[in-house]
Amino acid sequence: MGYARKVGWVTAGLVIGAGACYCIYRLTRGRKQNKEKMAEGGSGDVADAGDCSGARYNDWSDDDDSNESKSIVWYPPWARIGTEAGTRARARARARATRARRAVQKRASPNSDDTVLSPQELQKVLCLVEMSEKPYILEAALIALGNNAAYAFNRDIIRDLGGLPIVAKILNTRDPIVKEKALIVLNNLSVNAENQRRLKIYMNQVCDDTITSRLNSSVQLAGLRLLTNMTVTNEYQYLLANSISDFFRLFSAGNEETKLQVLKLLLNLAENPAMTRELLRAQVPTSLGSLFNKKEYKEVILKLLIIFENINDNFKWEENEPAQNHFSEGSLFFFLKEFQVCADKVLGIESHHDFQVRVKVGKFVAKLTERMFPKSQE
């Protein structure tokens, strides 16, 4: 009788143990399937586009990361045991993390056939941007958003999904690559009137970051492009009034690409008569005049002359004679007002090798002379 009872207890223990193992297997198997689905672009546990809770996107890690303490990867319970099976389980977990990372990068690839994402997929990518702390994951997700924001129909979708503040928050990062990708996303999204209205609150931050970034850097150029898009209309140009002097400084110090991008921004401002005084009030470097030389790039000279022409057309010199005392020494106003100095600089390139430059210079000098020395005063 005692022997039979022992056999019964042992059998019950084996049944209970087998049931517990089966439960653990089902739990881990379910998690594995969810992660594999997510890596393949499926829904997994985050199929609900409106819920970001429980999505452990920031747990993906590099497959070649030697410092495992910095790479959080979910492992099944038995993987922590120092056995051969545990080693294989850990390897499989890391492989799943690698596939997930590459899946995001595939989504982000401009050459991918699956570049255009559905609203549900866009929501997942936004959740990824909001929750992940891994720079390479953020970079891949932002590239995916930037590609999709290039399509007009997606700009409204991303805004309605709450994407504008999510991406704008990334501007606080110190990682220059991630910040550049965030600026590119916002730049693509800004080609939309409603998006511009909501993005205007970030213009001062973008302006400060652009001016203080490393000269000629990718971050600086991305910031200039975003500000240029935001100033295509006259509605938000006033927000840059206090930074015009800094833009002229960047123009004088930057390379050709930076010069041209700054000129596009200043040209937007110069076409608005309401910004004429702000432009004339801006302090300009003494090196500005030296840009008028035969070695300067043709496009730079032409765009700069167009800006000066627009300012000259929008400002009534004879009507604003009493207000001229409001402009300080070193301002753009005095640069143009000191006609003889300005004329010498401009006339110095009348022998420029490019015919179009010579014609443009001649017209500018003639117009400036007519406005500053009207015939009525002769």
PDB file of all heavy atoms in Angstrom, residues 97-124:
ATOM      1  N   ALA A  97      16.515  39.574 -32.843  1.00  0.00           N
ATOM      2  CA  ALA A  97      16.723  41.018 -32.681  1.00  0.00           C
ATOM      3  C   ALA A  97      17.375  41.613 -33.921  1.00  0.00           C
ATOM      4  O   ALA A  97      17.023  42.705 -34.369  1.00  0.00           O
ATOM      5  CB  ALA A  97      17.586  41.292 -31.451  1.00  0.00           C
ATOM      6  N   THR A  98      18.330  40.881 -34.498  1.00  0.00           N
ATOM      7  CA  THR A  98      19.004  41.365 -35.706  1.00  0.00           C
ATOM      8  C   THR A  98      18.032  41.456 -36.872  1.00  0.00           C
ATOM      9  O   THR A  98      18.028  42.422 -37.627  1.00  0.00           O
ATOM     10  CB  THR A  98      20.163  40.414 -36.065  1.00  0.00           C
ATOM     11  OG1 THR A  98      21.087  40.383 -34.975  1.00  0.00           O
ATOM     12  CG2 THR A  98      20.870  40.903 -37.324  1.00  0.00           C
ATOM     13  N   ARG A  99      17.163  40.417 -37.027  1.00  0.00           N
ATOM     14  CA  ARG A  99      16.181  40.455 -38.103  1.00  0.00           C
ATOM     15  C   ARG A  99      15.222  41.632 -37.928  1.00  0.00           C
ATOM     16  O   ARG A  99      14.817  42.261 -38.903  1.00  0.00           O
ATOM     17  CB  ARG A  99      15.404  39.130 -38.154  1.00  0.00           C
ATOM     18  CG  ARG A  99      16.215  37.960 -38.660  1.00  0.00           C
ATOM     19  CD  ARG A  99      15.293  36.808 -39.070  1.00  0.00           C
ATOM     20  NE  ARG A  99      14.484  36.346 -37.964  1.00  0.00           N
ATOM     21  CZ  ARG A  99      14.860  35.397 -37.104  1.00  0.00           C
ATOM     22  NH1 ARG A  99      16.052  34.824 -37.236  1.00  0.00           N
ATOM     23  NH2 ARG A  99      14.050  35.011 -36.140  1.00  0.00           N
ATOM     24  N   ALA A 100      14.860  41.925 -36.690  1.00  0.00           N
ATOM     25  CA  ALA A 100      13.961  43.046 -36.432  1.00  0.00           C
ATOM     26  C   ALA A 100      14.612  44.367 -36.828  1.00  0.00           C
ATOM     27  O   ALA A 100      13.992  45.230 -37.439  1.00  0.00           O
ATOM     28  CB  ALA A 100      13.571  43.072 -34.959  1.00  0.00           C
ATOM     29  N   ARG A 101      15.894  44.514 -36.475  1.00  0.00           N
ATOM     30  CA  ARG A 101      16.599  45.754 -36.838  1.00  0.00           C
ATOM     31  C   ARG A 101      16.699  45.897 -38.350  1.00  0.00           C
ATOM     32  O   ARG A 101      16.464  46.965 -38.908  1.00  0.00           O
ATOM     33  CB  ARG A 101      17.998  45.746 -36.221  1.00  0.00           C
ATOM     34  CG  ARG A 101      18.867  46.917 -36.653  1.00  0.00           C
ATOM     35  CD  ARG A 101      20.194  46.904 -35.917  1.00  0.00           C
ATOM     36  NE  ARG A 101      20.945  45.697 -36.135  1.00  0.00           N
ATOM     37  CZ  ARG A 101      21.734  45.486 -37.181  1.00  0.00           C
ATOM     38  NH1 ARG A 101      21.843  46.412 -38.119  1.00  0.00           N
ATOM     39  NH2 ARG A 101      22.399  44.367 -37.315  1.00  0.00           N
ATOM     40  N   ARG A 102      17.023  44.797 -39.020  1.00  0.00           N
ATOM     41  CA  ARG A 102      17.147  44.866 -40.474  1.00  0.00           C
ATOM     42  C   ARG A 102      15.802  45.101 -41.142  1.00  0.00           C
ATOM     43  O   ARG A 102      15.727  45.679 -42.227  1.00  0.00           O
ATOM     44  CB  ARG A 102      17.776  43.571 -40.985  1.00  0.00           C
ATOM     45  CG  ARG A 102      19.263  43.464 -40.627  1.00  0.00           C
ATOM     46  CD  ARG A 102      19.837  42.114 -40.994  1.00  0.00           C
ATOM     47  NE  ARG A 102      21.268  42.061 -40.668  1.00  0.00           N
ATOM     48  CZ  ARG A 102      21.993  40.955 -40.704  1.00  0.00           C
ATOM     49  NH1 ARG A 102      21.422  39.805 -41.043  1.00  0.00           N
ATOM     50  NH2 ARG A 102      23.268  40.987 -40.386  1.00  0.00           N
ATOM     51  N   ALA A 103      14.729  44.646 -40.491  1.00  0.00           N
ATOM     52  CA  ALA A 103      13.395  44.892 -41.048  1.00  0.00           C
ATOM     53  C   ALA A 103      13.094  46.383 -41.069  1.00  0.00           C
ATOM     54  O   ALA A 103      12.546  46.909 -42.038  1.00  0.00           O
ATOM     55  CB  ALA A 103      12.342  44.153 -40.234  1.00  0.00           C
ATOM     56  N   VAL A 104      13.466  47.080 -39.984  1.00  0.00           N
ATOM     57  CA  VAL A 104      13.265  48.533 -39.958  1.00  0.00           C
ATOM     58  C   VAL A 104      14.116  49.206 -41.021  1.00  0.00           C
ATOM     59  O   VAL A 104      13.675  50.106 -41.730  1.00  0.00           O
ATOM     60  CB  VAL A 104      13.609  49.102 -38.562  1.00  0.00           C
ATOM     61  CG1 VAL A 104      13.506  50.617 -38.563  1.00  0.00           C
ATOM     62  CG2 VAL A 104      12.684  48.519 -37.516  1.00  0.00           C
ATOM     63  N   GLN A 105      15.356  48.759 -41.149  1.00  0.00           N
ATOM     64  CA  GLN A 105      16.229  49.349 -42.157  1.00  0.00           C
ATOM     65  C   GLN A 105      15.708  49.084 -43.566  1.00  0.00           C
ATOM     66  O   GLN A 105      15.834  49.935 -44.450  1.00  0.00           O
ATOM     67  CB  GLN A 105      17.646  48.784 -41.991  1.00  0.00           C
ATOM     68  CG  GLN A 105      18.303  49.242 -40.694  1.00  0.00           C
ATOM     69  CD  GLN A 105      19.649  48.576 -40.467  1.00  0.00           C
ATOM     70  OE1 GLN A 105      19.917  47.516 -41.022  1.00  0.00           O
ATOM     71  NE2 GLN A 105      20.472  49.173 -39.645  1.00  0.00           N
ATOM     72  N   LYS A 106      15.123  47.916 -43.779  1.00  0.00           N
ATOM     73  CA  LYS A 106      14.547  47.627 -45.093  1.00  0.00           C
ATOM     74  C   LYS A 106      13.382  48.556 -45.378  1.00  0.00           C
ATOM     75  O   LYS A 106      13.208  49.060 -46.488  1.00  0.00           O
ATOM     76  CB  LYS A 106      14.088  46.171 -45.152  1.00  0.00           C
ATOM     77  CG  LYS A 106      13.508  45.773 -46.500  1.00  0.00           C
ATOM     78  CD  LYS A 106      13.083  44.320 -46.511  1.00  0.00           C
ATOM     79  CE  LYS A 106      12.486  43.958 -47.876  1.00  0.00           C
ATOM     80  NZ  LYS A 106      12.034  42.547 -47.924  1.00  0.00           N
ATOM     81  N   ARG A 107      12.549  48.796 -44.341  1.00  0.00           N
ATOM     82  CA  ARG A 107      11.450  49.739 -44.501  1.00  0.00           C
ATOM     83  C   ARG A 107      11.983  51.124 -44.835  1.00  0.00           C
ATOM     84  O   ARG A 107      11.384  51.887 -45.587  1.00  0.00           O
ATOM     85  CB  ARG A 107      10.634  49.828 -43.211  1.00  0.00           C
ATOM     86  CG  ARG A 107       9.902  48.559 -42.846  1.00  0.00           C
ATOM     87  CD  ARG A 107       8.706  48.347 -43.718  1.00  0.00           C
ATOM     88  NE  ARG A 107       7.835  47.288 -43.216  1.00  0.00           N
ATOM     89  CZ  ARG A 107       6.820  46.800 -43.863  1.00  0.00           C
ATOM     90  NH1 ARG A 107       6.533  47.241 -45.072  1.00  0.00           N
ATOM     91  NH2 ARG A 107       6.079  45.848 -43.346  1.00  0.00           N
ATOM     92  N   ALA A 108      13.138  51.444 -44.246  1.00  0.00           N
ATOM     93  CA  ALA A 108      13.671  52.796 -44.409  1.00  0.00           C
ATOM     94  C   ALA A 108      14.423  52.991 -45.714  1.00  0.00           C
ATOM     95  O   ALA A 108      14.713  54.113 -46.096  1.00  0.00           O
ATOM     96  CB  ALA A 108      14.613  53.118 -43.250  1.00  0.00           C
ATOM     97  N   SER A 109      14.753  51.908 -46.400  1.00  0.00           N
ATOM     98  CA  SER A 109      15.571  52.019 -47.610  1.00  0.00           C
ATOM     99  C   SER A 109      14.825  52.716 -48.732  1.00  0.00           C
ATOM    100  O   SER A 109      13.730  52.318 -49.095  1.00  0.00           O
ATOM    101  CB  SER A 109      15.997  50.630 -48.070  1.00  0.00           C
ATOM    102  OG  SER A 109      16.690  50.720 -49.298  1.00  0.00           O
ATOM    103  N   PRO A 110      15.407  53.784 -49.308  1.00  0.00           N
ATOM    104  CA  PRO A 110      14.753  54.470 -50.430  1.00  0.00           C
ATOM    105  C   PRO A 110      14.601  53.583 -51.656  1.00  0.00           C
ATOM    106  O   PRO A 110      13.746  53.830 -52.493  1.00  0.00           O
ATOM    107  CB  PRO A 110      15.701  55.640 -50.717  1.00  0.00           C
ATOM    108  CG  PRO A 110      16.551  55.780 -49.506  1.00  0.00           C
ATOM    109  CD  PRO A 110      16.660  54.413 -48.926  1.00  0.00           C
ATOM    110  N   ASN A 111      15.423  52.549 -51.758  1.00  0.00           N
ATOM    111  CA  ASN A 111      15.372  51.677 -52.926  1.00  0.00           C
ATOM    112  C   ASN A 111      14.438  50.485 -52.730  1.00  0.00           C
ATOM    113  O   ASN A 111      14.330  49.629 -53.587  1.00  0.00           O
ATOM    114  CB  ASN A 111      16.785  51.158 -53.242  1.00  0.00           C
ATOM    115  CG  ASN A 111      17.737  52.289 -53.555  1.00  0.00           C
ATOM    116  OD1 ASN A 111      17.364  53.249 -54.205  1.00  0.00           O
ATOM    117  ND2 ASN A 111      18.970  52.174 -53.090  1.00  0.00           N
ATOM    118  N   SER A 112      13.786  50.461 -51.566  1.00  0.00           N
ATOM    119  CA  SER A 112      12.889  49.337 -51.291  1.00  0.00           C
ATOM    120  C   SER A 112      11.598  49.478 -52.082  1.00  0.00           C
ATOM    121  O   SER A 112      11.109  50.564 -52.326  1.00  0.00           O
ATOM    122  CB  SER A 112      12.578  49.278 -49.788  1.00  0.00           C
ATOM    123  OG  SER A 112      11.599  48.296 -49.534  1.00  0.00           O
ATOM    124  N   ASP A 113      11.036  48.333 -52.474  1.00  0.00           N
ATOM    125  CA  ASP A 113       9.750  48.344 -53.175  1.00  0.00           C
ATOM    126  C   ASP A 113       8.596  48.627 -52.227  1.00  0.00           C
ATOM    127  O   ASP A 113       7.478  48.861 -52.659  1.00  0.00           O
ATOM    128  CB  ASP A 113       9.529  46.991 -53.871  1.00  0.00           C
ATOM    129  CG  ASP A 113      10.551  46.754 -54.969  1.00  0.00           C
ATOM    130  OD1 ASP A 113      11.057  47.757 -55.511  1.00  0.00           O
ATOM    131  OD2 ASP A 113      10.844  45.583 -55.265  1.00  0.00           O
ATOM    132  N   ASP A 114       8.873  48.571 -50.916  1.00  0.00           N
ATOM    133  CA  ASP A 114       7.813  48.740 -49.922  1.00  0.00           C
ATOM    134  C   ASP A 114       8.034  50.026 -49.135  1.00  0.00           C
ATOM    135  O   ASP A 114       7.902  50.058 -47.917  1.00  0.00           O
ATOM    136  CB  ASP A 114       7.816  47.526 -48.988  1.00  0.00           C
ATOM    137  CG  ASP A 114       6.525  47.436 -48.182  1.00  0.00           C
ATOM    138  OD1 ASP A 114       5.524  48.066 -48.585  1.00  0.00           O
ATOM    139  OD2 ASP A 114       6.526  46.741 -47.165  1.00  0.00           O
ATOM    140  N   THR A 115       8.431  51.108 -49.828  1.00  0.00           N
ATOM    141  CA  THR A 115       8.745  52.359 -49.161  1.00  0.00           C
ATOM    142  C   THR A 115       7.496  53.005 -48.585  1.00  0.00           C
ATOM    143  O   THR A 115       7.507  53.541 -47.482  1.00  0.00           O
ATOM    144  CB  THR A 115       9.432  53.329 -50.145  1.00  0.00           C
ATOM    145  OG1 THR A 115      10.639  52.733 -50.596  1.00  0.00           O
ATOM    146  CG2 THR A 115       9.754  54.647 -49.453  1.00  0.00           C
ATOM    147  N   VAL A 116       6.393  52.992 -49.315  1.00  0.00           N
ATOM    148  CA  VAL A 116       5.163  53.647 -48.876  1.00  0.00           C
ATOM    149  C   VAL A 116       4.480  52.747 -47.848  1.00  0.00           C
ATOM    150  O   VAL A 116       4.095  51.621 -48.147  1.00  0.00           O
ATOM    151  CB  VAL A 116       4.226  53.915 -50.067  1.00  0.00           C
ATOM    152  CG1 VAL A 116       2.970  54.623 -49.587  1.00  0.00           C
ATOM    153  CG2 VAL A 116       4.944  54.759 -51.109  1.00  0.00           C
ATOM    154  N   LEU A 117       4.325  53.264 -46.632  1.00  0.00           N
ATOM    155  CA  LEU A 117       3.746  52.496 -45.548  1.00  0.00           C
ATOM    156  C   LEU A 117       2.278  52.845 -45.362  1.00  0.00           C
ATOM    157  O   LEU A 117       1.842  53.960 -45.663  1.00  0.00           O
ATOM    158  CB  LEU A 117       4.507  52.766 -44.247  1.00  0.00           C
ATOM    159  CG  LEU A 117       6.026  52.532 -44.274  1.00  0.00           C
ATOM    160  CD1 LEU A 117       6.628  52.842 -42.920  1.00  0.00           C
ATOM    161  CD2 LEU A 117       6.354  51.115 -44.701  1.00  0.00           C
ATOM    162  N   SER A 118       1.537  51.903 -44.831  1.00  0.00           N
ATOM    163  CA  SER A 118       0.130  52.128 -44.510  1.00  0.00           C
ATOM    164  C   SER A 118       0.042  52.941 -43.225  1.00  0.00           C
ATOM    165  O   SER A 118       1.028  53.062 -42.481  1.00  0.00           O
ATOM    166  CB  SER A 118      -0.572  50.780 -44.328  1.00  0.00           C
ATOM    167  OG  SER A 118      -0.067  50.126 -43.168  1.00  0.00           O
ATOM    168  N   PRO A 119      -1.132  53.511 -42.918  1.00  0.00           N
ATOM    169  CA  PRO A 119      -1.271  54.251 -41.649  1.00  0.00           C
ATOM    170  C   PRO A 119      -0.912  53.405 -40.433  1.00  0.00           C
ATOM    171  O   PRO A 119      -0.307  53.921 -39.488  1.00  0.00           O
ATOM    172  CB  PRO A 119      -2.755  54.653 -41.647  1.00  0.00           C
ATOM    173  CG  PRO A 119      -3.116  54.747 -43.095  1.00  0.00           C
ATOM    174  CD  PRO A 119      -2.333  53.663 -43.767  1.00  0.00           C
ATOM    175  N   GLN A 120      -1.269  52.118 -40.441  1.00  0.00           N
ATOM    176  CA  GLN A 120      -0.929  51.255 -39.318  1.00  0.00           C
ATOM    177  C   GLN A 120       0.582  51.099 -39.187  1.00  0.00           C
ATOM    178  O   GLN A 120       1.135  51.124 -38.079  1.00  0.00           O
ATOM    179  CB  GLN A 120      -1.585  49.875 -39.491  1.00  0.00           C
ATOM    180  CG  GLN A 120      -3.099  49.862 -39.346  1.00  0.00           C
ATOM    181  CD  GLN A 120      -3.814  50.416 -40.577  1.00  0.00           C
ATOM    182  OE1 GLN A 120      -3.207  50.502 -41.659  1.00  0.00           O
ATOM    183  NE2 GLN A 120      -5.080  50.788 -40.436  1.00  0.00           N
ATOM    184  N   GLU A 121       1.256  50.933 -40.313  1.00  0.00           N
ATOM    185  CA  GLU A 121       2.718  50.804 -40.279  1.00  0.00           C
ATOM    186  C   GLU A 121       3.377  52.111 -39.878  1.00  0.00           C
ATOM    187  O   GLU A 121       4.377  52.126 -39.153  1.00  0.00           O
ATOM    188  CB  GLU A 121       3.212  50.337 -41.645  1.00  0.00           C
ATOM    189  CG  GLU A 121       2.820  48.902 -41.978  1.00  0.00           C
ATOM    190  CD  GLU A 121       3.129  48.538 -43.418  1.00  0.00           C
ATOM    191  OE1 GLU A 121       2.913  49.373 -44.308  1.00  0.00           O
ATOM    192  OE2 GLU A 121       3.589  47.408 -43.637  1.00  0.00           O
ATOM    193  N   LEU A 122       2.814  53.233 -40.340  1.00  0.00           N
ATOM    194  CA  LEU A 122       3.350  54.527 -39.922  1.00  0.00           C
ATOM    195  C   LEU A 122       3.211  54.713 -38.418  1.00  0.00           C
ATOM    196  O   LEU A 122       4.099  55.282 -37.764  1.00  0.00           O
ATOM    197  CB  LEU A 122       2.623  55.658 -40.661  1.00  0.00           C
ATOM    198  CG  LEU A 122       2.991  55.849 -42.132  1.00  0.00           C
ATOM    199  CD1 LEU A 122       2.057  56.861 -42.787  1.00  0.00           C
ATOM    200  CD2 LEU A 122       4.439  56.294 -42.286  1.00  0.00           C
ATOM    201  N   GLN A 123       2.096  54.254 -37.849  1.00  0.00           N
ATOM    202  CA  GLN A 123       1.903  54.340 -36.405  1.00  0.00           C
ATOM    203  C   GLN A 123       2.969  53.534 -35.666  1.00  0.00           C
ATOM    204  O   GLN A 123       3.500  53.971 -34.639  1.00  0.00           O
ATOM    205  CB  GLN A 123       0.514  53.841 -36.033  1.00  0.00           C
ATOM    206  CG  GLN A 123       0.237  53.850 -34.529  1.00  0.00           C
ATOM    207  CD  GLN A 123       0.154  55.245 -33.984  1.00  0.00           C
ATOM    208  OE1 GLN A 123      -0.806  55.961 -34.221  1.00  0.00           O
ATOM    209  NE2 GLN A 123       1.174  55.652 -33.262  1.00  0.00           N
ATOM    210  N   LYS A 124       3.295  52.359 -36.199  1.00  0.00           N
ATOM    211  CA  LYS A 124       4.339  51.537 -35.576  1.00  0.00           C
ATOM    212  C   LYS A 124       5.690  52.256 -35.605  1.00  0.00           C
ATOM    213  O   LYS A 124       6.435  52.243 -34.616  1.00  0.00           O
ATOM    214  CB  LYS A 124       4.444  50.193 -36.298  1.00  0.00           C
ATOM    215  CG  LYS A 124       3.242  49.286 -36.125  1.00  0.00           C
ATOM    216  CD  LYS A 124       3.446  48.007 -36.924  1.00  0.00           C
ATOM    217  CE  LYS A 124       2.186  47.169 -36.960  1.00  0.00           C
ATOM    218  NZ  LYS A 124       2.355  45.947 -37.774  1.00  0.00           N
TER     219      LYS A 124
END
